[in-house]
Amino acid sequence: ALRAVLVRTCLFVLFASALWALLPVLARHEMGLGSTAYGILFGCLGAGAVAGAIILPWLRRRFSMDALIAAATLTFAAVMVGLAQVWQFGFLCAVLCAGGIAWIALMASFNIATQTAVPSWVRARAMALYLLMFQGSMAVGGVLWGTVAQHAGMTVALLCAAAGLVAGLALVPRYRLKRGEEPDLRPSAHWPEPNAVIEPDPDDGPVLVTVEYLIDPERARDFTAAMQAVRQQRLRDGAFRSGLFSDPSDPGRYIETFVVESWAEHMRQHDRVTVNDRIAEDRARAFHSGDQPPVTSHYIYAHTSQTDHDETTEQ
């Protein structure tokens, strides 16, 4: 879901940046406007954005996010075609108001889609990626469309950017922002606290966690398929290694293992699991055939520090 948002954001901003990069050039060199007139044009974009923010909740209730983004993208493309073809001040003011509405609709939609695509514990990092794609595409687009305008002219640059926005809509079916039933990313807190006689130090690690399953050998293929979703969850939530092993001496015995950097990192995993993760785990655990639930064990790397080694040597 996050990849879809990043791709769609990058694609839109790369072409839409032509308006922001070329509007000053259009006003100063093509239309001969002064600073006041340019300020009015730019203010029309802002006024449109304010109006768009007011009507956006109404639009969101009536249209899906993908439909809203597609309509706003077409509107923004039409705005750039208008800038390329008609250089009349009053007309451009009206056109830029429409552009401001489309811009705020798109930015708000991408922002919301980014925040709802990931659980709360990783939301800040997701927003950082989103802003990196946004600002990076804006910078690259500014250089790109400035170069095109210098060599082919303002009109060609704006028309090419508008065509790119329309062509980018072809990726909507592959990178949809809403894919039917949304995953439930609320914290589930269903993992029990580890049973430790001696409380480990938070920095102790790496930590190996094993979960033992007893599976009907005839259902092993379906079980291993269900465990793929569990493995993705482990790696996503902090494990740097995850695997599933079978016992050749007991065909129905399977051991899931995953390794995290430290005890503190493993305890963070307890807070990171979501309701959707619990559903994936329950689907895999439904294959367990033992009288008791799968047995979970925790192991901490039994290393000897250099200081302890030196002290032992001296003694």
Side-chain angles (χ1 to χ4, degrees), residues 3 7 30 32 44 125 136 139 174 181 200 206 235 251 260 270 281 298 312 315:
R3 185 183 298 113
V7 170
E30 303 296 340
C44 289
R125 273 173 271 183
R174 182 172 181 179
E181 184 179 354
L235 296 174
V260 293
H270 283 248
E281 290 181 5
H298 300 80
T312 302
Q315 293 175 359

Side-chain angles (χ1 to χ4, degrees), residues 1-17 103 107 110-111 114 124-142 171 175:
L2 180 59
R3 185 183 298 113
V5 180
L6 297 179
V7 170
R8 296 279 295 276
T9 299
C10 179
L11 194 63
F12 170 77
V13 175
L14 182 65
F15 293 105
S17 61
W103 179 265
M107 293 301 101
F110 287 143
N111 196 304
T114 301
R125 273 173 271 183
M127 288 302 298
L129 283 173
Y130 165 73
L131 291 174
L132 177 66
M133 297 297 290
F134 178 89
Q135 300 290 357
S137 299
M138 185 71 76
V140 172
L171 292 179
Y175 294 100

Side-chain angles (χ1 to χ4, degrees), residues 19-62:
L19 184 146
W20 302 98
L22 300 181
L23 183 60
V25 181
L26 173 67
R28 179 69 180 89
H29 296 285
E30 303 296 340
M31 299 180 63
L33 301 178
S35 57
T36 301
Y38 172 69
I40 293 174
L41 288 178
F42 208 74
C44 289
L45 269 172
V50 172
I54 294 173
I55 66 173
L56 188 57
W58 179 85
L59 293 173
R60 194 174 290 122
R61 287 194 299 268
R62 285 160 176 78

